[in-house]
Amino acid sequence: MARDKVPDPLSYLQATDIATRAAELLTQAATQLRPDVRGALTAALARERTERGRAVLKALLDNDEIARRDGVPICQDTGTTWIRLELAAGNYVAGDLQAACDTSCGEASQRAGLRNSLVFDAYGDRRNTQTNTPVFIDLVQTTAEVTCLHVMLKGAGSDNASRIVMLDPDSTDDDIEAAVLAAVREKASMACPPLIIGIGIGGTFDTVGKLSKRALLRPLTAAPSEPRVAALQERLLAAVNATGIGPAALGGDTTALAVQIQTAPCHIAAKPLAINLCCNALRSQTISFSA
């Protein structure tokens, strides 16, 4: 019987090295907006017709400049840390990735002055962990040539405003729009608009939420490859901005900066929909590297 092929040791990535990189990205995400998000805010300021809306957008841009200059958090809710590691073909992780990331990211959180926002257990023990950990990790094997590491910080205000809807399989774009608008009208004011809305369509009940987070990782300037998805993004963005909720929910043209959609296969009898209302401080950073 042939033995299983042993991976080339050179293709191993050390958990401690990955954790060090994740900690660096965490600090960057906490203290500076992504260039595409800042660009979207700048463009929204140029378009916004209301005085209050312009004042809010200007304040958000000023806030980003101060955070960058002084190395302080963009937002007081420094949130949960989500790490998505997309391993290249033939790459493997050596060591305890969870423990390594908890250590490195916990230390980085303290150095950066981030608020401790996690409890030991949602139901049984709501004492603060005092370390802003554990971090939440998704480890994915891919066919790509390089490994990609994403770090996102997500506050509770926007997470609490998000939702999952299990649509009927024959639901239409009208139904998707109705579900998105219901979430926006009910919860947008709690999620610090202008929003960036991540939409997941497909998968299962437990995976569609991750789809919506992956949508938020994509640059706001990058259009989907499928024209139908791009058209739905534009339609939903127009519908959300037509609500007039506006920046900081004070009224205006800019309730959302972008709608990002990620789709996936699903069961013939299902059409899961995740509506991820992200606040104006979309805090994520990404790097690619090889073993």
Side-chain angles (χ1 to χ4, degrees), residues 79-134:
T80 55
T81 300
W82 179 55
I83 296 172
R84 179 177 170 85
L85 181 63
E86 299 169 353
L87 287 171
N91 281 185
Y92 306 85
V93 176
D96 188 333
L97 185 60
Q98 182 70 56
C101 286
D102 281 347
T103 298
S104 289
C105 291
E107 292 171 352
S109 178
Q110 300 308 305
R111 287 194 301 270
L114 306 189
R115 188 186 78 179
N116 294 324
S117 300
L118 272 76
V119 298
F120 282 103
D121 184 81
Y123 181 70
D125 185 355
R126 293 195 64 89
R127 290 176 301 133
N128 198 301
T129 65
Q130 300 298 325
T131 60
N132 228 15
T133 63

Side-chain angles (χ1 to χ4, degrees), residues 52-267:
R52 283 183 177 179
R54 288 195 300 272
V56 172
L57 293 168
K58 178 65 165 55
L60 294 175
L61 288 165
D62 290 344
N63 181 69
D64 178 50
E65 290 182 4
I66 294 169
R68 288 170 183 267
R69 183 191 68 206
D70 297 346
V72 296
I74 295 171
C75 177
Q76 67 170 349
D77 184 353
T78 48
T80 55
T81 300
W82 179 55
I83 296 172
R84 179 177 170 85
L85 181 63
E86 299 169 353
L87 287 171
N91 281 185
Y92 306 85
V93 176
D96 188 333
L97 185 60
Q98 182 70 56
C101 286
D102 281 347
T103 298
S104 289
C105 291
E107 292 171 352
S109 178
Q110 300 308 305
R111 287 194 301 270
L114 306 189
R115 188 186 78 179
N116 294 324
S117 300
L118 272 76
V119 298
F120 282 103
D121 184 81
Y123 181 70
D125 185 355
R126 293 195 64 89
R127 290 176 301 133
N128 198 301
T129 65
Q130 300 298 325
T131 60
N132 228 15
T133 63
V135 302
F136 298 87
I137 299 176
D138 283 330
L139 181 61
V140 184
Q141 193 76 53
T142 74
T143 58
E145 295 182 357
V146 295
T147 289
C148 195
L149 176 65
H150 308 275
V151 175
M152 176 183 284
L153 306 180
K154 191 73 156 57
S158 58
D159 252 14
N160 289 346
S162 301
R163 62 184 57 174
I164 292 174
V165 181
M166 303 303 287
L167 295 174
D168 292 333
D170 60 349
S171 60
T172 66
D173 288 354
D174 289 342
D175 299 312
I176 293 173
E177 179 180 321
V180 171
L181 288 178
V184 168
R185 290 191 176 108
E186 183 179 347
K187 296 290 187 178
S189 62
M190 299 172 56
C192 299
L195 310 169
I196 299 96
I197 303 176
I199 302 289
I201 305 174
T204 60
F205 175 81
D206 58 308
T207 63
V208 69
K210 291 181 182 180
L211 275 181
S212 69
K213 281 185 122 174
R214 284 175 56 196
L216 294 174
L217 294 174
R218 194 173 69 242
L220 305 187
T221 52
S225 57
E226 187 178 341
R228 181 181 176 187
V229 175
L232 181 58
Q233 285 188 172
E234 294 178 6
R235 170 180 173 171
L236 294 177
L237 179 61
V240 168
N241 284 332
T243 63
I245 293 169
L250 296 175
D253 303 312
T254 318
T255 303
L257 299 174
V259 174
Q260 304 278 86
I261 297 175
Q262 188 80 25
T263 65
C266 74
H267 192 281

Side-chain angles (χ1 to χ4, degrees), residues 20-31 149-151 153 284-287:
T20 298
R21 298 184 192 212
E24 293 169 353
L25 295 182
L26 182 153
T27 303
Q28 292 173 22
T31 58
L149 176 65
H150 308 275
V151 175
L153 306 180
S284 77
Q285 295 288 332
T286 297
I287 57 169

Side-chain angles (χ1 to χ4, degrees), residues 5-8 11-14 18 87-94 141 291:
K5 183 179 178 181
V6 177
D8 183 342
S11 65
Y12 276 105
L13 299 169
Q14 297 298 318
I18 296 168
L87 287 171
N91 281 185
Y92 306 85
V93 176
Q141 193 76 53

